Amino acid sequence: MLEESHHYFQKASDVLDLSHNLREILLTPFRVVKVEIVTEGDKGDLQHHMGYRVQHNKARGPLKGGLRYHPSMDEDHAMALANLMTWKTAVVDVPFGGAKGGINCDPAQLSERELASITRRFVEQVKDVIGPTLDIPAPDVNTNARVMGWIMDEYSKYQGHSPAVVTGKPLELFGSPGREEATGRGCLYVLEEALKEQGKAFSDITVAVQGFGNVGSNAARLIAERGGKILAVSDHGGGVSNKDGLDIPKLIAYVNESKNRTVKGFPDADAFEGPEVITWDVDVLIPAALEDVITKGNAKDVRATIIVEGANGPTTPEADEILQKKGVLVIPDILANAGGVTVSYFEWAQNIQQFRWELDRVTEELSKIMRKAYKAVSEMAASKNVDFRTAAFVLAITRVGKAAVSRRHTIKGVRF
Ligand code: NAD
């Protein structure tokens, strides 16, 4: 995965004609933390996990990025995802750098008490390198408001009341209204801008969504509310489709009640094998699960003409090239899923000021930022004659590079 995010960085750096040294400086993480987490399980057994936090670049502000709990979590994933966070915060121009981390655990196999003690032990190990002005974690795959609440509580034991150490918290623990749906809502806004450019409305489009967790379910719900027809949805359990459009509020309620939190078995729908969703016959595809799902193996069969990357890194570089040649508009992850970090920024700012915004204000400010970022990327794509992903990277690298260079008096002759 790291190789892939570097590939996109290098492609944009070629457009900018960046020197080798500057590329090295911008790619190298500021700090890599790896900690052992030993806890006691419910049956008195010893549980052993590894925790990671990669702090990539802090030229534009404190480090910011999610925490992922997944068996596949490792240093390579954290590095790649931290890297993406640096470019993402720059694309939407929120005053943060990029970080990412997580624990190589499987929450489905852990009780709530076990998960909480693993989380608290992790915080104990990294407490000196995170903080409201240092590095502010947030939810990602398999972590949620509840986990963020534990993090705030544990960190506050050492540093005093510190709600701004983490975002995506429960509302009653100084979370922001609108944070939970923010990434899906951001997907809605960039898709709306793309449709406008093509002279289309939501009522004209059909959509397929992979992943029905935080990002996928909120994006699907909001698009359906605006008149888009969601024909197919898949998750870790399988896929469900309905040619007249799935009833998304019902599907959300079904998943919330199902034992394994899956769409599998949803009535009023036909079942299919999950991966088929990528090549579904729709106008818009939203990958909102894990990385590397659009590959050179299936990219040629993609039928959607717009892809909104709700997930981080869903498209491999080979697949990206195939999609560009086919004329598919790929709205890249560092733009499409930046709604979450944007509302995290609002939450952090509210916490620091001990102030709370109403939901209307959050939604309005999110809309402004996402649409402005879309416009900036679209204009960059047109002016450099490049695809949207390269344009987003060019924009981000320019912003981060300018900040990095402005901070140093020793770098001479570097232009941006
Ligand atoms: P989540 O844990 O809430 O949901 C993940 C979804 O993916 C679930 O529906 C799960 O069933 C599905 N899934 C897992 N494995 C799958 C597989 N093999 N095939 C199909 N579906 C599978 O996670 P989330 O927060 O919605 O994150 C999803 C993606 O969005 C990740 O790439 C994450 O990094 C990215 N993202 C999340 C946020 C956020 O605010 N939560 C922000 C930016 C980016």
Side-chain angles (χ1 to χ4, degrees):
M1 195 187 175
L2 186 60
E3 225 170 84
E4 292 167 8
S5 70
H6 283 191
H7 169 90
Y8 295 131
F9 170 88
Q10 297 292 3
K11 197 171 161 191
S13 296
D14 289 345
V15 174
L16 284 164
D17 197 20
L18 287 196
S19 70
H20 174 75
N21 276 357
L22 201 51
R23 291 181 197 216
E24 287 292 298
I25 290 169
L26 291 176
L27 273 184
T28 309
F30 157 72
R31 186 189 273 139
V32 180
V33 180
K34 181 174 173 183
V35 294
E36 186 185 34
I37 303 170
V38 180
T39 50
E40 191 179 306
D42 288 344
K43 295 185 183 121
D45 51 317
L46 271 191
Q47 296 190 336
H48 181 258
H49 296 99
M50 295 307 296
Y52 304 91
R53 188 71 183 168
V54 172
Q55 301 179 325
H56 176 247
N57 186 296
K58 57 187 176 67
R60 299 183 68 259
L63 299 142
K64 188 90 190 78
L67 282 180
R68 179 177 291 197
Y69 288 2
H70 196 273
S72 69
M73 193 64 203
D74 58 16
E75 198 171 305
D76 187 70
H77 270 81
M79 290 258 227
L81 293 164
N83 212 291
L84 284 180
M85 282 308 297
T86 297
W87 314 125
K88 191 183 301 183
T89 52
V91 167
V92 282
D93 203 11
V94 293
F96 289 128
K100 201 81 171 195
I103 301 175
N104 69 344
C105 66
D106 182 358
Q109 306 300 323
L110 297 163
S111 70
E112 171 139 332
R113 193 203 66 81
E114 289 173 331
L115 201 60
S117 56
I118 290 168
T119 302
R120 288 182 186 279
R121 187 84 187 111
F122 176 67
V123 175
E124 196 187 325
Q125 306 265 47
V126 300
K127 66 179 186 309
D128 294 333
V129 295
I130 64 169
T133 59
L134 292 176
D135 179 359
I136 304 122
D140 192 75
V141 175
N142 289 332
T143 56
N144 53 20
R146 199 171 42 122
V147 176
M148 300 305 118
W150 298 333
I151 294 175
M152 181 201 126
D153 182 65
E154 187 66 23
Y155 182 83
S156 297
K157 279 186 196 163
Y158 301 101
Q159 308 290 350
H161 179 65
S162 313
V165 64
V166 69
T167 56
K169 300 179 292 291
L171 274 180
E172 55 277 15
L173 277 184
F174 317 99
S176 174
R179 172 60 184 89
E180 191 122 345
E181 63 165 33
T183 308
R185 186 170 279 284
C187 291
L188 173 87
Y189 292 144
V190 293
L191 176 57
E192 188 174 20
E193 291 304 304
L195 292 175
K196 267 193 223 159
E197 283 186 344
Q198 299 183 1
K200 290 184 190 154
F202 281 107
S203 53
D204 299 326
I205 58 162
T206 54
V207 183
V209 184
Q210 183 189 47
F212 205 63
N214 177 309
V215 181
S217 68
N218 280 304
R221 175 179 60 82
L222 293 163
I223 291 169
E225 278 171 12
R226 300 287 297 273
K229 222 184 248 182
I230 316 293
L231 298 191
V233 167
S234 78
D235 68 9
H236 67 279
V240 290
S241 70
N242 185 325
K243 61 179 178 19
D244 299 320
L246 291 157
D247 184 330
I248 297 299
K250 263 197 196 163
L251 185 57
I252 292 174
Y254 175 83
V255 171
N256 286 340
E257 279 158 27
S258 79
K259 186 165 165 271
N260 297 320
R261 296 189 64 82
T262 172
V263 297
K264 194 177 174 180
F266 179 59
D268 310 327
D270 298 317
F272 66 90
E273 292 297 317
E276 289 172 31
V277 77
I278 299 294
T279 53
W280 212 262
D281 188 7
V282 281
D283 303 306
V284 177
L285 171 65
I286 307 184
L290 298 174
E291 53 279 347
D292 295 345
V293 292
I294 307 177
T295 63
K296 72 172 181 221
N298 61 15
K300 62 181 184 326
D301 300 320
V302 166
R303 284 182 275 182
T305 54
I306 300 179
I307 295 179
V308 181
E309 291 188 337
N312 284 310
T315 311
T316 67
E318 294 95 332
D320 204 46
E321 242 167 66
I322 296 170
L323 295 171
Q324 298 312 331
K325 282 194 187 125
K326 278 164 64 114
V328 177
L329 172 65
V330 181
I331 307 179
D333 46 10
I334 58 172
L335 168 63
N337 70 33
V341 75
T342 301
V343 175
S344 275
Y345 160 55
F346 300 158
E347 180 176 336
W348 175 79
Q350 290 169 69
N351 291 159
I352 285 174
Q353 297 170 66
Q354 303 279 346
F355 191 77
R356 182 165 275 177
W357 292 3
E358 298 291 328
L359 177 60
D360 283 358
R361 174 150 186 214
V362 170
T363 307
E364 193 188 319
E365 299 283 341
L366 174 65
S367 166
K368 267 192 231 158
I369 288 185
M370 293 304 297
R371 293 180 201 281
K372 191 172 163 200
Y374 181 94
K375 192 161 174 266
V377 170
S378 179
E379 283 172 3
M380 181 67 83
S383 79
K384 300 274 184 203
N385 195 21
V386 293
D387 59 90
F388 262 48
R389 190 188 310 280
T390 308
F393 269 87
V394 167
L395 184 68
I397 293 169
T398 305
R399 287 177 175 163
V400 176
K402 275 184 178 169
V405 169
S406 308
R407 279 172 178 268
R408 292 175 171 81
H409 61 278
T410 46
I411 303 185
K412 293 207 180 80
V414 179
R415 93 198 134 71
F416 264 100

